[in-house]
């Protein structure tokens, strides 16, 4: 069994920065695809960024340049660095993992992780 625990959410002013963390515990396979998603009530869960165990990354087009996904293998931790945040970034942010390499074109789709694991989410609120 794998557990994912997000942290680092909170309130931040527009233009500010925030770093989210996702700590994984349990047996982690050597090949995986991990991603960040976000969800706003009444809207579909949106893929933010994904990272393969080989280090390759993929981002939602609208977020390129502001968000950076990274991982620290020694700590089994995934990160999302959010810079120049905007009110529309307000959402609950989730991390997810699926075994196997990321599939190009599918790594930012929530259904890809249906057989994997999800964290409980962390709230990010951007307002002045």
């Amino acid at each position: 069994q794998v557990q994912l625990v997000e942290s680092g959410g909170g309130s931040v002013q527009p233009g500010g920065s925030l770093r989210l963390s996702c700590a994984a515990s349990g047996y982690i396979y050597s090949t995986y695809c991990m991603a960040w998603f976000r969800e706003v009530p009444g809207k579909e869960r949106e893929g933010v960024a994904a990272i393969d165990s080989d280090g390759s990354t993929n981002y939602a087009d609208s977020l390129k340049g502001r968000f950076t996904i990274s991982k620290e293998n020694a700590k089994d931790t995934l990160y999302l660095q959010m810079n120049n945040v905007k009110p529309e970034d307000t959402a609950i942010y989730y991390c997810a993992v699926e075994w196997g390499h990321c599939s190009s074109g599918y790594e930012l789709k929530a259904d890809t992780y249906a057989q994997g694991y999800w964290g409980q989410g962390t709230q990010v609120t951007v307002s002045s």
Side-chain angles (χ1 to χ4, degrees), residues 97-118:
V97 64
E98 180 60 270
W99 309 130
H101 288 295
C102 295
S103 297
S104 180
Y106 293 91
E107 60 270 72
L108 296 181
K109 297 184 184 298
D111 287 349
T112 298
Y113 304 84
Q115 302 302 317
Y117 298 90
W118 289 82

Side-chain angles (χ1 to χ4, degrees), residues 38 47-49 57-68 81 83-84 86 108:
R38 64 186 185 183
V48 172
T57 58
N58 193 24
Y59 295 89
D61 288 340
S62 61
L63 299 174
K64 281 180 184 175
R66 293 198 298 121
F67 289 10
T68 303
Q81 179 67 41
N83 295 330
N84 188 25
K86 303 176 180 181
L108 296 181

Side-chain angles (χ1 to χ4, degrees), residues 2 4 22 24 27-37 47-59 69-71 73 77-78 94-119:
V2 172
L4 301 178
C22 170
Y27 185 81
I28 309 297
Y29 284 83
S30 59
T31 304
Y32 56 81
C33 184
M34 293 192 79
W36 287 99
F37 288 81
V48 172
I51 188 165
D52 194 289
S53 48
D54 66 11
S56 58
T57 58
N58 193 24
Y59 295 89
I69 190 171
S70 62
K71 59 185 178 70
N73 293 335
T77 301
L78 179 73
Y94 299 89
C95 61
V97 64
E98 180 60 270
W99 309 130
H101 288 295
C102 295
S103 297
S104 180
Y106 293 91
E107 60 270 72
L108 296 181
K109 297 184 184 298
D111 287 349
T112 298
Y113 304 84
Q115 302 302 317
Y117 298 90
W118 289 82

Side-chain angles (χ1 to χ4, degrees), residues 37-46 48 90-94 118 123:
F37 288 81
R38 64 186 185 183
E39 189 170 336
V40 174
K43 291 190 176 181
E44 218 171 281
R45 192 167 289 192
E46 176 190 19
V48 172
T90 295
I92 299 175
Y93 284 73
Y94 299 89
W118 289 82
Q123 175 72 48

